[in-house]
PDB file of all heavy atoms in Angstrom:
ATOM      1  N   GLN A   6       6.599  12.562   5.799  1.00 96.00           N
ATOM      2  CA  GLN A   6       6.540  14.022   5.811  1.00 96.00           C
ATOM      3  C   GLN A   6       7.631  14.558   6.724  1.00 96.00           C
ATOM      4  O   GLN A   6       7.817  14.077   7.845  1.00 96.00           O
ATOM      5  CB  GLN A   6       5.156  14.474   6.301  1.00 96.00           C
ATOM      6  CG  GLN A   6       4.948  15.970   6.325  1.00 96.00           C
ATOM      7  CD  GLN A   6       3.517  16.360   6.661  1.00 96.00           C
ATOM      8  OE1 GLN A   6       2.598  15.546   6.602  1.00 96.00           O
ATOM      9  NE2 GLN A   6       3.316  17.619   7.015  1.00 96.00           N
ATOM     10  N   HIS A   7       8.318  15.606   6.251  1.00 97.00           N
ATOM     11  CA  HIS A   7       9.393  16.222   7.021  1.00 97.00           C
ATOM     12  C   HIS A   7       9.410  17.731   6.793  1.00 97.00           C
ATOM     13  O   HIS A   7       9.088  18.198   5.695  1.00 97.00           O
ATOM     14  CB  HIS A   7      10.751  15.647   6.585  1.00 97.00           C
ATOM     15  CG  HIS A   7      10.879  14.195   6.806  1.00 97.00           C
ATOM     16  ND1 HIS A   7      11.174  13.656   8.034  1.00 97.00           N
ATOM     17  CD2 HIS A   7      10.725  13.162   5.956  1.00 97.00           C
ATOM     18  CE1 HIS A   7      11.209  12.345   7.920  1.00 97.00           C
ATOM     19  NE2 HIS A   7      10.935  12.025   6.672  1.00 97.00           N
ATOM     20  N   PRO A   8       9.789  18.520   7.794  1.00 97.00           N
ATOM     21  CA  PRO A   8      10.124  18.082   9.150  1.00 97.00           C
ATOM     22  C   PRO A   8       8.860  17.877   9.997  1.00 97.00           C
ATOM     23  O   PRO A   8       7.773  18.232   9.553  1.00 97.00           O
ATOM     24  CB  PRO A   8      10.941  19.262   9.674  1.00 97.00           C
ATOM     25  CG  PRO A   8      10.315  20.454   9.007  1.00 97.00           C
ATOM     26  CD  PRO A   8       9.912  19.977   7.622  1.00 97.00           C
ATOM     27  N   SER A   9       9.012  17.344  11.178  1.00 95.00           N
ATOM     28  CA  SER A   9       7.867  17.168  12.061  1.00 95.00           C
ATOM     29  C   SER A   9       7.520  18.483  12.759  1.00 95.00           C
ATOM     30  O   SER A   9       6.366  18.714  13.116  1.00 95.00           O
ATOM     31  CB  SER A   9       8.134  16.074  13.089  1.00 95.00           C
ATOM     32  OG  SER A   9       9.309  16.366  13.824  1.00 95.00           O
ATOM     33  N   THR A  10       8.523  19.330  12.981  1.00 97.00           N
ATOM     34  CA  THR A  10       8.275  20.664  13.516  1.00 97.00           C
ATOM     35  C   THR A  10       9.111  21.664  12.737  1.00 97.00           C
ATOM     36  O   THR A  10      10.211  21.340  12.275  1.00 97.00           O
ATOM     37  CB  THR A  10       8.625  20.772  15.019  1.00 97.00           C
ATOM     38  OG1 THR A  10      10.013  20.475  15.191  1.00 97.00           O
ATOM     39  CG2 THR A  10       7.798  19.811  15.850  1.00 97.00           C
ATOM     40  N   LEU A  11       8.566  22.868  12.590  1.00 98.00           N
ATOM     41  CA  LEU A  11       9.247  23.910  11.825  1.00 98.00           C
ATOM     42  C   LEU A  11       8.937  25.249  12.477  1.00 98.00           C
ATOM     43  O   LEU A  11       7.766  25.589  12.668  1.00 98.00           O
ATOM     44  CB  LEU A  11       8.766  23.890  10.372  1.00 98.00           C
ATOM     45  CG  LEU A  11       9.359  24.911   9.405  1.00 98.00           C
ATOM     46  CD1 LEU A  11      10.870  24.770   9.318  1.00 98.00           C
ATOM     47  CD2 LEU A  11       8.723  24.740   8.023  1.00 98.00           C
ATOM     48  N   VAL A  13       9.713  29.375  12.254  1.00 98.00           N
ATOM     49  CA  VAL A  13      10.235  30.445  11.400  1.00 98.00           C
ATOM     50  C   VAL A  13       9.841  31.797  11.965  1.00 98.00           C
ATOM     51  O   VAL A  13       8.924  31.886  12.790  1.00 98.00           O
ATOM     52  CB  VAL A  13       9.719  30.322   9.942  1.00 98.00           C
ATOM     53  CG1 VAL A  13      10.147  28.986   9.328  1.00 98.00           C
ATOM     54  CG2 VAL A  13       8.209  30.477   9.878  1.00 98.00           C
ATOM     55  N   ASP A  17       9.450  35.102   6.865  1.00 97.00           N
ATOM     56  CA  ASP A  17      10.302  34.085   6.236  1.00 97.00           C
ATOM     57  C   ASP A  17       9.446  33.127   5.425  1.00 97.00           C
ATOM     58  O   ASP A  17       8.216  33.123   5.502  1.00 97.00           O
ATOM     59  CB  ASP A  17      11.065  33.305   7.301  1.00 97.00           C
ATOM     60  CG  ASP A  17      12.173  34.122   7.933  1.00 97.00           C
ATOM     61  OD1 ASP A  17      12.475  35.220   7.413  1.00 97.00           O
ATOM     62  OD2 ASP A  17      12.726  33.668   8.961  1.00 97.00           O
ATOM     63  N   SER A  18      10.122  32.292   4.653  1.00 98.00           N
ATOM     64  CA  SER A  18       9.445  31.223   3.916  1.00 98.00           C
ATOM     65  C   SER A  18       9.514  29.919   4.699  1.00 98.00           C
ATOM     66  O   SER A  18      10.427  29.715   5.505  1.00 98.00           O
ATOM     67  CB  SER A  18      10.096  31.022   2.547  1.00 98.00           C
ATOM     68  OG  SER A  18       9.920  32.162   1.734  1.00 98.00           O
ATOM     69  N   ALA A  19       8.540  29.058   4.459  1.00 98.00           N
ATOM     70  CA  ALA A  19       8.513  27.736   5.090  1.00 98.00           C
ATOM     71  C   ALA A  19       8.316  26.689   4.000  1.00 98.00           C
ATOM     72  O   ALA A  19       7.520  26.896   3.077  1.00 98.00           O
ATOM     73  CB  ALA A  19       7.379  27.651   6.105  1.00 98.00           C
ATOM     74  N   VAL A  20       9.055  25.596   4.123  1.00 98.00           N
ATOM     75  CA  VAL A  20       8.948  24.512   3.148  1.00 98.00           C
ATOM     76  C   VAL A  20       8.740  23.193   3.888  1.00 98.00           C
ATOM     77  O   VAL A  20       9.483  22.883   4.815  1.00 98.00           O
ATOM     78  CB  VAL A  20      10.210  24.405   2.267  1.00 98.00           C
ATOM     79  CG1 VAL A  20      10.057  23.265   1.263  1.00 98.00           C
ATOM     80  CG2 VAL A  20      10.477  25.717   1.547  1.00 98.00           C
ATOM     81  N   ILE A  21       7.754  22.451   3.475  1.00 98.00           N
ATOM     82  CA  ILE A  21       7.466  21.129   4.037  1.00 98.00           C
ATOM     83  C   ILE A  21       7.503  20.124   2.893  1.00 98.00           C
ATOM     84  O   ILE A  21       6.943  20.379   1.829  1.00 98.00           O
ATOM     85  CB  ILE A  21       6.085  21.105   4.722  1.00 98.00           C
ATOM     86  CG1 ILE A  21       6.013  22.180   5.811  1.00 98.00           C
ATOM     87  CG2 ILE A  21       5.807  19.725   5.316  1.00 98.00           C
ATOM     88  CD1 ILE A  21       4.623  22.389   6.378  1.00 98.00           C
ATOM     89  N   LYS A  22       8.180  19.001   3.139  1.00 98.00           N
ATOM     90  CA  LYS A  22       8.380  18.035   2.066  1.00 98.00           C
ATOM     91  C   LYS A  22       7.735  16.691   2.393  1.00 98.00           C
ATOM     92  O   LYS A  22       7.724  16.265   3.549  1.00 98.00           O
ATOM     93  CB  LYS A  22       9.874  17.840   1.825  1.00 98.00           C
ATOM     94  CG  LYS A  22      10.589  19.112   1.401  1.00 98.00           C
ATOM     95  CD  LYS A  22      12.059  18.872   1.131  1.00 98.00           C
ATOM     96  CE  LYS A  22      12.729  20.185   0.684  1.00 98.00           C
ATOM     97  NZ  LYS A  22      14.163  19.985   0.377  1.00 98.00           N
ATOM     98  N   CYS A  23       7.240  16.046   1.355  1.00 98.00           N
ATOM     99  CA  CYS A  23       6.642  14.720   1.496  1.00 98.00           C
ATOM    100  C   CYS A  23       7.132  13.807   0.386  1.00 98.00           C
ATOM    101  O   CYS A  23       7.321  14.253  -0.761  1.00 98.00           O
ATOM    102  CB  CYS A  23       5.125  14.790   1.459  1.00 98.00           C
ATOM    103  SG  CYS A  23       4.408  15.539   2.933  1.00 98.00           S
ATOM    104  N   TRP A  35      -2.922  19.152   0.320  1.00 96.00           N
ATOM    105  CA  TRP A  35      -2.328  19.629   1.571  1.00 96.00           C
ATOM    106  C   TRP A  35      -3.442  20.194   2.446  1.00 96.00           C
ATOM    107  O   TRP A  35      -4.290  20.947   1.964  1.00 96.00           O
ATOM    108  CB  TRP A  35      -1.293  20.719   1.303  1.00 96.00           C
ATOM    109  CG  TRP A  35      -0.020  20.200   0.737  1.00 96.00           C
ATOM    110  CD1 TRP A  35       0.286  20.001  -0.578  1.00 96.00           C
ATOM    111  CD2 TRP A  35       1.147  19.805   1.475  1.00 96.00           C
ATOM    112  NE1 TRP A  35       1.559  19.512  -0.709  1.00 96.00           N
ATOM    113  CE2 TRP A  35       2.113  19.381   0.535  1.00 96.00           C
ATOM    114  CE3 TRP A  35       1.488  19.781   2.834  1.00 96.00           C
ATOM    115  CZ2 TRP A  35       3.388  18.931   0.905  1.00 96.00           C
ATOM    116  CZ3 TRP A  35       2.746  19.346   3.197  1.00 96.00           C
ATOM    117  CH2 TRP A  35       3.678  18.921   2.249  1.00 96.00           C
ATOM    118  N   ALA A  63       2.312  27.576  -2.456  1.00 97.00           N
ATOM    119  CA  ALA A  63       2.600  26.871  -3.695  1.00 97.00           C
ATOM    120  C   ALA A  63       2.923  25.423  -3.372  1.00 97.00           C
ATOM    121  O   ALA A  63       3.415  25.100  -2.284  1.00 97.00           O
ATOM    122  CB  ALA A  63       3.776  27.516  -4.428  1.00 97.00           C
ATOM    123  N   THR A  65       4.781  21.951  -5.252  1.00 96.00           N
ATOM    124  CA  THR A  65       5.526  21.409  -6.383  1.00 96.00           C
ATOM    125  C   THR A  65       5.489  19.900  -6.307  1.00 96.00           C
ATOM    126  O   THR A  65       5.423  19.322  -5.218  1.00 96.00           O
ATOM    127  CB  THR A  65       6.982  21.893  -6.366  1.00 96.00           C
ATOM    128  OG1 THR A  65       7.589  21.504  -5.130  1.00 96.00           O
ATOM    129  CG2 THR A  65       7.059  23.403  -6.497  1.00 96.00           C
ATOM    130  N   PHE A  73       6.742  15.648  -3.205  1.00 97.00           N
ATOM    131  CA  PHE A  73       6.040  16.905  -3.416  1.00 97.00           C
ATOM    132  C   PHE A  73       6.231  17.776  -2.177  1.00 97.00           C
ATOM    133  O   PHE A  73       6.489  17.272  -1.086  1.00 97.00           O
ATOM    134  CB  PHE A  73       4.550  16.676  -3.731  1.00 97.00           C
ATOM    135  CG  PHE A  73       3.786  15.869  -2.721  1.00 97.00           C
ATOM    136  CD1 PHE A  73       2.796  16.476  -1.958  1.00 97.00           C
ATOM    137  CD2 PHE A  73       3.993  14.510  -2.557  1.00 97.00           C
ATOM    138  CE1 PHE A  73       2.052  15.752  -1.044  1.00 97.00           C
ATOM    139  CE2 PHE A  73       3.267  13.772  -1.644  1.00 97.00           C
ATOM    140  CZ  PHE A  73       2.298  14.386  -0.887  1.00 97.00           C
ATOM    141  N   SER A  74       6.154  19.075  -2.403  1.00 97.00           N
ATOM    142  CA  SER A  74       6.486  20.022  -1.336  1.00 97.00           C
ATOM    143  C   SER A  74       5.474  21.155  -1.260  1.00 97.00           C
ATOM    144  O   SER A  74       4.890  21.547  -2.272  1.00 97.00           O
ATOM    145  CB  SER A  74       7.874  20.622  -1.571  1.00 97.00           C
ATOM    146  OG  SER A  74       8.861  19.622  -1.609  1.00 97.00           O
ATOM    147  N   LEU A  75       5.324  21.676  -0.056  1.00 98.00           N
ATOM    148  CA  LEU A  75       4.490  22.856   0.196  1.00 98.00           C
ATOM    149  C   LEU A  75       5.407  24.022   0.511  1.00 98.00           C
ATOM    150  O   LEU A  75       6.306  23.896   1.347  1.00 98.00           O
ATOM    151  CB  LEU A  75       3.543  22.602   1.364  1.00 98.00           C
ATOM    152  CG  LEU A  75       2.654  23.777   1.770  1.00 98.00           C
ATOM    153  CD1 LEU A  75       1.572  24.020   0.722  1.00 98.00           C
ATOM    154  CD2 LEU A  75       2.024  23.521   3.137  1.00 98.00           C
ATOM    155  N   HIS A  76       5.166  25.134  -0.156  1.00 98.00           N
ATOM    156  CA  HIS A  76       5.964  26.341   0.065  1.00 98.00           C
ATOM    157  C   HIS A  76       5.021  27.455   0.516  1.00 98.00           C
ATOM    158  O   HIS A  76       4.048  27.756  -0.177  1.00 98.00           O
ATOM    159  CB  HIS A  76       6.668  26.768  -1.220  1.00 98.00           C
ATOM    160  CG  HIS A  76       7.545  25.718  -1.822  1.00 98.00           C
ATOM    161  ND1 HIS A  76       8.923  25.772  -1.789  1.00 98.00           N
ATOM    162  CD2 HIS A  76       7.239  24.563  -2.468  1.00 98.00           C
ATOM    163  CE1 HIS A  76       9.418  24.695  -2.397  1.00 98.00           C
ATOM    164  NE2 HIS A  76       8.431  23.958  -2.816  1.00 98.00           N
ATOM    165  N   ILE A  77       5.350  28.047   1.658  1.00 98.00           N
ATOM    166  CA  ILE A  77       4.587  29.199   2.144  1.00 98.00           C
ATOM    167  C   ILE A  77       5.542  30.382   2.207  1.00 98.00           C
ATOM    168  O   ILE A  77       6.565  30.316   2.899  1.00 98.00           O
ATOM    169  CB  ILE A  77       3.976  28.948   3.535  1.00 98.00           C
ATOM    170  CG1 ILE A  77       3.139  27.666   3.531  1.00 98.00           C
ATOM    171  CG2 ILE A  77       3.117  30.144   3.957  1.00 98.00           C
ATOM    172  CD1 ILE A  77       2.620  27.277   4.911  1.00 98.00           C
ATOM    173  N   THR A  78       5.239  31.430   1.480  1.00 97.00           N
ATOM    174  CA  THR A  78       6.085  32.624   1.497  1.00 97.00           C
ATOM    175  C   THR A  78       5.471  33.686   2.401  1.00 97.00           C
ATOM    176  O   THR A  78       4.272  33.646   2.716  1.00 97.00           O
ATOM    177  CB  THR A  78       6.252  33.188   0.079  1.00 97.00           C
ATOM    178  OG1 THR A  78       4.952  33.500  -0.447  1.00 97.00           O
ATOM    179  CG2 THR A  78       6.934  32.184  -0.836  1.00 97.00           C
ATOM    180  N   THR A  80       5.488  34.328   5.572  1.00 98.00           N
ATOM    181  CA  THR A  80       4.676  33.704   6.612  1.00 98.00           C
ATOM    182  C   THR A  80       4.158  34.733   7.625  1.00 98.00           C
ATOM    183  O   THR A  80       4.806  35.758   7.901  1.00 98.00           O
ATOM    184  CB  THR A  80       5.466  32.628   7.358  1.00 98.00           C
ATOM    185  OG1 THR A  80       6.697  33.200   7.843  1.00 98.00           O
ATOM    186  CG2 THR A  80       5.761  31.444   6.454  1.00 98.00           C
ATOM    187  N   THR A 106       3.224  18.279  10.127  1.00 97.00           N
ATOM    188  CA  THR A 106       4.285  19.219  10.487  1.00 97.00           C
ATOM    189  C   THR A 106       3.684  20.344  11.317  1.00 97.00           C
ATOM    190  O   THR A 106       2.727  20.991  10.876  1.00 97.00           O
ATOM    191  CB  THR A 106       4.957  19.823   9.235  1.00 97.00           C
ATOM    192  OG1 THR A 106       5.593  18.790   8.492  1.00 97.00           O
ATOM    193  CG2 THR A 106       5.968  20.897   9.620  1.00 97.00           C
ATOM    194  N   LEU A 108       3.903  23.845  12.322  1.00 98.00           N
ATOM    195  CA  LEU A 108       4.549  25.086  11.906  1.00 98.00           C
ATOM    196  C   LEU A 108       4.247  26.178  12.923  1.00 98.00           C
ATOM    197  O   LEU A 108       3.082  26.432  13.242  1.00 98.00           O
ATOM    198  CB  LEU A 108       4.057  25.517  10.524  1.00 98.00           C
ATOM    199  CG  LEU A 108       4.536  26.893  10.034  1.00 98.00           C
ATOM    200  CD1 LEU A 108       6.050  26.898   9.847  1.00 98.00           C
ATOM    201  CD2 LEU A 108       3.836  27.284   8.733  1.00 98.00           C
TER     202      LEU A 108
END
Side-chain angles (χ1 to χ4, degrees):
Chain A
Q6 182 173 344
H7 299 280
S9 56
T10 60
L11 180 59
V13 300
D17 287 350
S18 295
V20 180
I21 303 170
K22 299 182 179 181
C23 289
W35 286 88
T65 58
F73 55 112
S74 301
L75 178 72
H76 303 253
I77 306 174
T78 59
T80 54
T106 297
L108 173 65

